Amino acid sequence: GEDVEQSLFLSVREGDSSVINCTYTDSSSTYLYWYKQEPGAGLQLLTYIFSNMDMKQDQRLTVLLNKKDKHLSLRIADTQTGDSAIYFCAERGTGGFKTIFGAGTRLFVKA
Amino acid sequence: GAVVSQHPSWVICKSGTSVKIECRSLDFQATTMFWYRQFPKQSLMLMATSNEGSKATYEQGVEKDKFLINHASLTLSTLTVTSAHPEDSSFYICSAHGQGAPDTQYFGPGTRLTVL
């Protein structure tokens, strides 16, 4: 079945760039997403990329997609303490709206 | 952007009672809503897909008689945890797709259920 994997933790210093990586198995993925979850809250959509794109940039966020390797990354430039949260990678295939989530990467930003 | 609300945001109940959680799309019509369960420090587990006016589709291993889902209108879906037990304690999150948001899901803030 479909699977999405992420590393569990990442720690960076304030002002540095953060790169969160994700791999997925469904070669028919149409959309790939990055969500942010702060403690005790629901998920906030950060950005998404269509499967026919290689890169998408949105202010401090850069998403890179390597479809051949089924690898997705999220780069956060100039990471701030407010960026500390759990980041979920997710993919959606062609069979409707069902979305598969990774386990989440917990980002710690040190001041 | 699209807004999804959940009510209540947290609930504490006694073992054996039933609890209803509401999920509303506030500024768009949601033809499809999803219910997820999230355990501490873990990812979201899809429980069921709810389509307006039809029966929900449950994921494997989710008891449909235990978790009753109703999607009576284009803006409201409810999840009822029947005869709740302490192992049902969790964070329940809904999300919605709609005509105004075809490319992604918009998530509610979640409901924390604690069963004593």
Side-chain angles (χ1 to χ4, degrees), chain A residues 31 33 35 37 42 98-99 102, chain B residues 38 43 59 103-105 107 109:
Chain A
Y31 298 95
Y33 306 92
Y35 287 89
Q37 185 181 34
K98 183 175 177 179
T99 303
Chain B
Q38 186 181 31
S43 188
E59 295 298 303
D103 296 326
T104 188
Q105 300 177 47
F107 284 81

Side-chain angles (χ1 to χ4, degrees), chain A residues 2-108:
Chain A
E2 307 98 338
D3 192 22
V4 177
E5 294 192 355
Q6 307 176 234
S7 54
L8 294 182
F9 299 99
L10 176 65
S11 180
V12 300
R13 291 190 180 278
E14 190 175 24
D16 288 349
S17 292
S18 308
V19 179
I20 302 172
N21 294 299
C22 168
T23 57
Y24 61 97
T25 58
D26 186 2
S27 57
S28 65
S29 294
T30 53
Y31 298 95
L32 295 120
Y33 306 92
W34 285 104
Y35 287 89
K36 176 183 180 182
Q37 185 181 34
E38 299 187 23
L43 273 67
Q44 172 196 356
L45 177 66
L46 284 179
T47 186
Y48 67 92
I49 189 168
F50 296 104
S51 59
N52 61 358
M53 296 169 64
D54 299 323
M55 187 184 86
K56 181 177 180 180
Q57 188 154 1
D58 184 2
Q59 300 182 335
R60 291 192 298 125
L61 305 178
T62 303
V63 178
L64 295 178
L65 174 61
N66 181 329
K67 199 172 179 183
K68 174 176 170 288
D69 294 337
K70 300 190 186 70
H71 182 267
L72 182 74
S73 68
L74 173 69
R75 178 176 180 270
I76 306 173
D78 187 25
T79 312
Q80 302 298 307
T81 54
D83 295 325
S84 293
I86 302 174
Y87 291 80
F88 290 95
C89 169
E91 65 92 11
R92 174 182 150 196
T94 56
F97 298 127
K98 183 175 177 179
T99 303
I100 307 298
F101 288 82
T105 298
R106 190 174 293 270
L107 174 64
F108 296 94

Side-chain angles (χ1 to χ4, degrees), chain B residues 33-76:
Chain B
M33 287 182 169
F34 301 89
W35 287 96
Y36 293 86
R37 184 173 179 178
Q38 186 181 31
F39 292 101
K41 298 184 180 180
Q42 292 189 29
S43 188
L44 281 73
M45 182 193 80
L46 179 64
M47 299 174 67
T49 303
S50 168
N51 291 299
E52 187 266 339
S54 63
K55 290 184 179 180
T57 302
Y58 289 81
E59 295 298 303
Q60 193 173 7
V62 178
E63 299 175 61
K64 57 184 176 183
D65 295 331
K66 171 79 172 173
F67 299 100
L68 300 178
I69 291 172
N70 184 280
H71 193 157
S73 77
L74 287 172
T75 59
L76 173 65

Side-chain angles (χ1 to χ4, degrees), chain B residues 70-87:
Chain B
N70 184 280
H71 193 157
S73 77
L74 287 172
T75 59
L76 173 65
S77 176
T78 61
L79 167 68
T80 301
V81 182
T82 62
S83 187
H85 288 93
E87 57 266 30

